[in-house]
């Protein structure tokens, strides 16, 4: 049924909520209607939000992980914003953005950006 990558670049908590809510609701679709793979990638300014994310955003992230959704963030940006401990505490996998986005392109992911 395809693959979906959700890239969150904004540090606006409301935009992050919308992106995570979309991921949660997509995962709730009947199995025949949901994508085969769904990943959420924190990029640009959104990585800074990892250290200060409101409780409801943290809960949404936890719900996604419990449903088997991969949450990722850019290794370089996490280091740049000095939020490595926060990313680890949220169980976010750190990957190079260029590798993730190249893989998404090679594997035919539809990409939504927030």
């Amino acid at each position: 049924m395809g693959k979906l990558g959700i890239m969150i670049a904004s540090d606006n908590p409301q935009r992050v909520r919308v992106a995570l809510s979309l991921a949660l609701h997509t995962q709730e679709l009947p199995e025949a209607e949901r994508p085969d793979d769904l990943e959420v990638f924190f990029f640009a300014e959104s990585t800074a939000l990892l250290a200060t994310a409101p409780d409801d955003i943290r809960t949404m992230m936890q719900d996604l992980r419990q449903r088997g959704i991969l949450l990722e963030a850019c290794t370089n940006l996490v280091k740049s914003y000095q939020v490595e401990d926060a990313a680890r505490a949220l169980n976010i996998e750190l990957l190079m953005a260029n590798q993730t986005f190249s893989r998404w392109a090679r594997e035919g992911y539809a990409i939504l950006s927030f």
Side-chain angles (χ1 to χ4, degrees):
M1 180 56 77
K3 299 177 181 188
L4 178 61
I6 297 176
M7 181 191 68
I8 304 173
S10 175
D11 62 353
N12 177 307
Q14 189 54 36
R15 288 185 61 87
V16 174
R17 283 183 190 97
V18 169
L20 296 177
S21 179
L22 175 64
L24 285 166
H25 291 303
T26 299
Q27 188 60 22
E28 292 170 351
L29 288 168
E31 189 172 344
E33 296 179 23
R34 75 176 86 125
D36 297 322
D37 290 311
L38 173 60
E39 298 180 21
V40 176
F41 195 92
F42 292 89
F43 187 62
E45 289 83 16
S46 73
T47 55
L49 183 70
L50 298 176
T52 60
D55 288 343
D56 63 322
I57 289 177
R58 291 174 183 276
T59 298
M60 293 170 84
M61 292 166 61
Q62 181 180 20
D63 288 349
L64 285 165
R65 280 192 315 281
Q66 288 174 348
R67 295 176 190 200
I69 305 305
L70 183 60
L71 299 179
E72 308 156 301
C74 176
T75 301
N76 288 339
L77 289 168
V78 164
K79 288 179 183 178
S80 177
Y81 285 111
Q82 300 177 347
V83 294
E84 292 172 276
D85 291 340
R88 278 192 208 95
L90 293 167
N91 295 315
I92 293 175
E93 190 168 333
L94 301 182
L95 300 167
M96 299 296 290
N98 60 344
Q99 291 175 322
T100 297
F101 298 150
S102 292
R103 178 179 53 82
W104 283 3
R106 282 191 323 275
E107 296 180 7
Y109 275 70
I111 300 172
L112 301 176
S113 178
F114 290 84

